[in-house]
Amino acid sequence: MIILISGASHTGKTLLAQKLLEKYKYPVLSIDLLKMGLIRSKNTELSPDNDEELEEYLWPIIREMIKTAIENKQNLIIEGAYIPFDWKKDFELSYLQFIRFYCLVMTQNYIRNHFEEIKNYANIIEKRFDDTWFTKEAALKENMKNLELCQKNGCRYILIDVDYDVESGISE
């Protein structure tokens, strides 16, 4: 089984991946770690700020890793924001039956009522060096965009509205 976890920044992708690792014992691939490894090793001229270009650069690599894992009958959790919402088009049905995609989406209500908590939990798994760019407005905009793209592309999403309970939305 391949579990893909996407979502806006600060929605808890890495935390959910960690919890699923502990529950299912599946290895986890962090797209952010892959991204930074490629940038720091100078295997790309892209920078961490080139989001759209990074998705175009990283997705073919990740896509082929997914296919290889399925062919080798390996389980894998992949988490990160660089999974395109039209990801299904890159897989035949024989692969799709082994892939579960989840996008974590916080509602406007949740962001407005819990923004300070969201910021406080930002470092629960990974330490962020500079989080000043993350504002309530940025969170609202990115989450609403992701919700629209999930709905447009028929992607499964976990809506975080009243409580933060994303694990209950995951099924193997």
Side-chain angles (χ1 to χ4, degrees), residues 142-155:
E142 193 176 1
N143 277 274
M144 295 314 354
K145 177 184 167 196
N146 284 357
L147 179 60
E148 290 172 13
L149 287 168
C150 281
Q151 291 171 337
K152 175 184 173 189
N153 289 283
C155 295

Side-chain angles (χ1 to χ4, degrees), residues 154-167:
C155 295
R156 184 181 295 143
Y157 57 91
I158 298 171
L159 207 55
I160 304 161
D161 187 25
V162 178
D163 295 317
Y164 190 91
D165 178 26
V166 296
E167 268 187 278

Side-chain angles (χ1 to χ4, degrees), residues 8 21 23 26 29 32 38 46 57 60-61 65-67 77 81 90 93 104 109 117 123 130 146-147 149 157 172:
L21 175 144
K23 181 176 182 177
Y26 294 178
L29 170 67
D32 279 343
L38 291 165
L46 297 171
Y57 179 71
I61 298 166
M65 290 173 74
I66 292 168
K67 290 177 182 177
I77 299 165
D90 293 327
L93 186 57
L104 304 182
N109 178 55
E117 290 172 56
N123 290 314
D130 179 16
N146 284 357
L147 179 60
L149 287 168
Y157 57 91
E172 190 179 6

Side-chain angles (χ1 to χ4, degrees), residues 61-76:
I61 298 166
I62 295 163
R63 177 191 68 220
E64 297 309 314
M65 290 173 74
I66 292 168
K67 290 177 182 177
T68 302
I70 292 169
E71 290 161 2
N72 291 338
K73 298 185 180 0
Q74 294 174 291
N75 299 310
L76 182 62

Side-chain angles (χ1 to χ4, degrees), residues 48-105:
D49 298 326
N50 301 119
D51 282 336
E52 288 181 26
E53 294 91 344
L54 280 165
E55 183 177 298
E56 290 175 20
Y57 179 71
L58 292 168
W59 178 243
I61 298 166
I62 295 163
R63 177 191 68 220
E64 297 309 314
M65 290 173 74
I66 292 168
K67 290 177 182 177
T68 302
I70 292 169
E71 290 161 2
N72 291 338
K73 298 185 180 0
Q74 294 174 291
N75 299 310
L76 182 62
I77 299 165
I78 300 175
E79 66 89 9
Y82 299 104
I83 301 169
F85 288 92
D86 63 349
W87 65 271
K88 289 180 195 172
K89 72 175 176 36
D90 293 327
F91 297 96
E92 296 172 11
L93 186 57
S94 60
Y95 291 105
L96 286 173
Q97 63 184 334
F98 296 104
I99 303 171
R100 300 291 178 269
F101 173 90
Y102 301 93
C103 183
L104 304 182
V105 178

